[in-house]
Amino acid sequence: MASSSSNSKTSSKVFVSFREENIGNNFVTHLYAALNHAGIYYFDIQRREKDEGNLMITVPKMIEESDLAIIIFSENNAYSRLCLEEVVKIMECKKQKDLKVFPVFYRVELGRVSGLKGSYRTGIEYFQKKLNKDVRKLMRWKDALQEAGSLSGWDLDD
């Protein structure tokens, strides 16, 4: 049986979903530094697109182990299968285990994500052509984007 002390510091686990090529490392590096300074554990996933096959296996487990998820929506997230799957898993965990979810709209208009407009519409259309027989997957992605995009979050331009 685990025990806890009143002096022990309980640390939350945070999963950060982002598309590295859109936001660069500066923003995420600062975010990770702030989480680290606050004593908050975060899952550090770098080189996202290069290891996508392996990450499709490990990322869902990381999300399940998290207490909080930060989704950084940027211009071309909907063109990344990994980003779309992360949003689906995050929203599933929000419903099933009360995962706290905080969206950040980084240089993207708030209504584009929830309304599937602009690059979010064309990204889904891109996958519609590639996955024309997997309508269920496309609907899961659309639903998760619309739901996550309508959550209260932060609008960051720089």
Side-chain angles (χ1 to χ4, degrees):
M1 178 184 225
S3 64
S4 64
S5 155
S6 60
N7 294 335
S8 68
K9 186 175 181 181
T10 305
S11 182
S12 297
K13 292 181 182 177
V14 177
F15 182 84
V16 181
S17 174
F18 65 97
R19 186 147 191 217
E20 192 170 27
E21 72 181 46
N22 292 348
I23 61 175
N25 279 330
N26 289 337
F27 177 77
V28 174
T29 300
H30 289 295
L31 175 61
Y32 284 164
L35 292 171
N36 189 47
H37 182 72
I40 298 172
Y41 178 84
Y42 57 89
F43 293 101
D44 186 5
I45 302 173
Q46 298 295 324
R47 300 180 311 243
R48 300 172 67 76
E49 301 302 322
K50 295 175 190 166
D51 300 331
E52 188 171 304
N54 188 38
L55 289 174
M56 292 289 243
I57 297 166
T58 60
V59 164
K61 179 99 170 110
M62 292 176 193
I63 295 169
E64 289 170 3
E65 293 176 4
S66 298
D67 304 303
L68 180 128
I70 299 171
I71 305 171
I72 303 172
F73 289 110
S74 57
E75 189 60 34
N76 293 315
N77 283 44
Y79 284 96
S80 167
R81 184 184 307 240
L82 180 60
C83 287
L84 293 168
E85 288 295 334
E86 287 175 358
V87 173
V88 167
K89 186 64 177 178
I90 288 168
M91 297 314 291
E92 285 174 1
C93 287
K94 181 183 186 304
K95 290 175 190 165
Q96 295 169 358
K97 64 175 221 105
D98 200 29
L99 176 69
K100 307 289 184 270
V101 180
F102 296 99
V104 175
F105 300 92
Y106 185 79
R107 295 182 179 168
V108 66
E109 292 175 22
L110 299 172
R112 284 185 163 214
V113 179
S114 62
L116 298 177
K117 296 177 183 171
S119 64
Y120 283 83
R121 183 191 48 157
T122 56
I124 292 295
E125 289 171 352
Y126 166 79
F127 281 114
Q128 228 164 0
K129 292 173 187 168
K130 292 180 82 168
L131 303 171
N132 61 1
K133 296 188 190 243
D134 200 346
V135 176
R136 216 170 107 204
K137 181 177 283 210
L138 287 166
M139 288 308 298
R140 286 177 47 233
W141 289 348
K142 286 181 181 181
D143 291 346
L145 284 172
Q146 290 172 322
E147 186 179 352
S150 63
L151 295 172
S152 293
W154 295 280
D155 181 16
L156 298 176
D157 193 28
D158 191 11

